[in-house]
Amino acid sequence: MYDDIAFNEENPRPGVIINSPNGADVYEGVPKDYTGEDVTVNNFFAAILGNKTALTGGSGKVVDSGPNDHIFIYYTDHGGPGMLGMPTSPYLYADDLIDVLKQKHASGTYKSLVFYLEACESGSIFEGLLPEGLNIYATTAANAEESSWGTYCPGEDPSPPPEYETCLGDLYSVAWMEDSDVHNLRTETLHQQYELVKKRTANDNSAYGSHVMQYGDIERSKETLFLYMGTNPANDNFTFVDDNSFRPSSKAVNQRDADLLHFWYKFQKAPEGSSRKAEAQKQFVEAMTHRMHVDQTMKLIGKLLFGITRGPEVLSTVRPAGQPVVDDWKCLKSMVRTFETHCGSLSQYGMTHMRSLANICDAGITTEQMAEASAQACPSVPASPWSSLRRGFSA
């Protein structure tokens, strides 16, 4: 069964959208079932479960699957330990996603499911959470404690066309898509693609790459990609070669810094004295100010809760491999909401501090203690648009 449902964060806009330097428009003419404000956690889960009555907005399309169907899910956004971004609030939490996947399995409405996930710390969404036996095979752009990386960015080789001031894609996503474009997916297996994508995304084990991971029922990776993606008949005579013809760029951009790169190139290219240059400078400064606010506030909260010496140690602790980022997810969501109530939105950048908030929970701190420390650290919510709670809380 091929029941494609498109979730897209951005509202349709004029112009050509490409994901490689000399690529074709990948947006125009592609059906988009949920865009903008309709891209919500609730609609995403409802679509997976085939629950039309739970939908709000959008086309109303869901994964109306049966027991013999193969499902493919590709999700890309910003992320943090245990959390995935959304263009709306609240964000998506790992425990809720795993619960939905378990519900889908219990309903008997698929034969197998493959999940490709692009986000920073994306491994934390499945690490210690996705059990075997659900007939689910998942791969992620990064492990549970590292960022993913943007590619085809301004200043790289190859670089996007000069009119683009942004990265065109992500290392992991570009790797699996470009591999799928040129291979015969009737014969290439999930495992073969995983190995090629893993090698390319590691970027020769340089500082500009991440570790692609796999979770769940690994034996499903013996299946061919055709079951989940279909294939291009033009590639039917392609003989698979266990090597990657696509070479990674010489460097990549940490995905958390992609917005700063955009503002910087926008500023550099704008004419002196123009409103565009002033706007780019304002956006860059606002983004940096927000980052410093979140970083410094989180450090101060740690010191208020655990002391000057122990605070940084507690916040930076990484649990052993195989364990989820936190045991009490309700506590984690409560800590996020408490922080944001007093200090403003975490935003996409602030997701990097989700592990600190998880460690606060694991240390037994109560919501009341967190509220007191947050109130001391943040006498008021900053006026920055990045800190605004206009769109709601992240939890």
Side-chain angles (χ1 to χ4, degrees):
M1 173 187 176
Y2 300 102
D3 192 2
D4 298 328
I5 300 177
F7 281 80
N8 192 292
E9 291 192 7
E10 301 294 335
N11 288 320
R13 64 172 177 82
V16 177
I17 299 178
I18 60 177
N19 60 11
S20 61
N22 298 308
D25 192 336
V26 295
Y27 198 81
E28 185 179 2
V30 176
K32 293 164 279 287
D33 296 292
Y34 302 88
T35 63
E37 295 298 317
D38 294 331
V39 183
T40 65
V41 172
N42 180 75
N43 280 349
F44 180 54
F45 288 165
I48 291 175
L49 295 174
N51 185 0
K52 291 186 176 182
T53 61
L55 292 169
T56 304
S59 69
K61 193 174 182 180
V62 298
V63 181
D64 187 17
S65 55
N68 296 316
D69 291 324
H70 304 279
I71 298 173
F72 176 67
I73 298 174
Y74 166 56
Y75 191 111
T76 177
D77 206 296
H78 290 282
M83 173 192 277
L84 293 175
M86 275 272 170
T88 54
S89 295
Y91 291 161
L92 190 157
Y93 286 80
D95 66 319
D96 295 325
L97 175 61
I98 299 302
D99 284 347
V100 165
L101 294 177
K102 289 178 178 178
Q103 289 179 51
K104 186 68 174 176
H105 178 261
S107 69
T109 53
Y110 69 88
K111 186 172 184 179
S112 59
L113 187 154
V114 168
F115 201 123
Y116 280 14
L117 177 57
E118 169 77 66
C120 292
E121 286 95 9
S122 44
S124 67
I125 303 301
F126 300 115
E127 181 103 7
L129 293 170
L130 181 65
E132 296 180 358
L134 299 182
N135 291 326
I136 294 176
Y137 173 68
T139 75
T140 62
N143 64 29
E145 50 188 279
E146 66 183 351
S147 296
S148 61
W149 292 79
T151 190
Y152 297 146
C153 302
E156 288 185 12
D157 181 22
S159 186
E163 65 269 25
Y164 290 81
E165 300 160 344
T166 184
C167 300
L168 300 181
D170 303 291
L171 274 178
Y172 164 86
S173 297
V174 164
W176 77 257
M177 289 181 188
E178 291 186 350
D179 175 73
S180 299
D181 282 343
V182 300
H183 284 171
N184 179 2
L185 304 191
R186 293 182 184 276
T187 58
E188 184 178 1
T189 66
L190 288 158
H191 176 73
Q192 287 174 317
Q193 183 168 86
Y194 165 76
E195 290 294 337
L196 290 178
V197 171
K198 180 180 178 181
K199 181 178 179 180
R200 183 176 177 185
T201 307
N203 214 350
D204 293 328
N205 292 315
S206 71
Y208 304 101
S210 58
H211 301 84
V212 175
M213 306 294 288
Q214 56 183 347
Y215 301 93
D217 294 300
I218 308 299
E219 69 273 8
R220 300 228 72 97
S221 66
K222 298 176 182 177
E223 297 174 329
T224 61
L225 290 159
F226 173 77
L227 286 173
Y228 302 94
M229 302 181 193
T231 192
N232 182 351
N235 296 335
D236 281 355
N237 294 324
F238 182 92
T239 300
F240 182 81
V241 178
D242 191 17
D243 192 16
N244 204 326
S245 59
F246 294 101
R247 298 306 305 151
S249 56
S250 57
K251 63 178 181 178
V253 174
N254 187 309
Q255 192 53 259
R256 284 208 172 86
D257 296 333
D259 57 342
L260 297 181
L261 183 77
H262 166 64
F263 297 145
W264 179 246
Y265 271 86
K266 179 179 176 181
F267 173 79
Q268 280 192 319
K269 291 171 61 178
E272 286 295 335
S274 66
S275 59
R276 179 174 174 80
K277 198 173 192 72
E279 178 191 30
Q281 182 179 29
K282 180 174 180 288
Q283 290 173 321
F284 186 88
V285 171
E286 286 177 342
M288 287 301 301
T289 301
H290 172 71
R291 288 173 175 231
M292 289 187 290
H293 162 70
V294 175
D295 291 344
Q296 292 170 3
T297 298
M298 198 65 70
K299 288 180 182 177
L300 179 54
I301 289 174
K303 292 175 181 178
L304 289 170
L305 291 172
F306 305 106
I308 294 176
T309 302
R310 186 164 173 258
E313 178 185 334
V314 172
L315 298 190
S316 62
T317 296
V318 177
R319 305 182 88 184
Q323 290 188 24
V325 68
V326 71
D327 292 325
D328 188 343
W329 290 89
K330 183 178 179 180
C331 172
L332 177 58
K333 295 166 191 175
S334 176
M335 292 301 175
V336 169
R337 196 174 182 93
T338 300
F339 174 89
E340 292 189 325
T341 297
H342 295 277
C343 301
S345 175
L346 283 169
S347 79
Q348 63 190 39
Y349 171 76
M351 291 182 190
T352 190
H353 291 290
M354 287 299 295
R355 191 178 306 280
S356 296
L357 294 169
N359 291 343
I360 289 173
C361 282
D362 290 336
I365 298 299
T366 65
T367 302
E368 291 73 22
Q369 290 172 309
M370 179 64 178
E372 182 179 349
S374 298
Q376 289 183 53
C378 302
S380 62
V381 175
S384 165
W386 292 92
S387 297
S388 172
L389 291 170
R390 179 180 58 83
R391 299 177 68 88
F393 291 91
S394 301

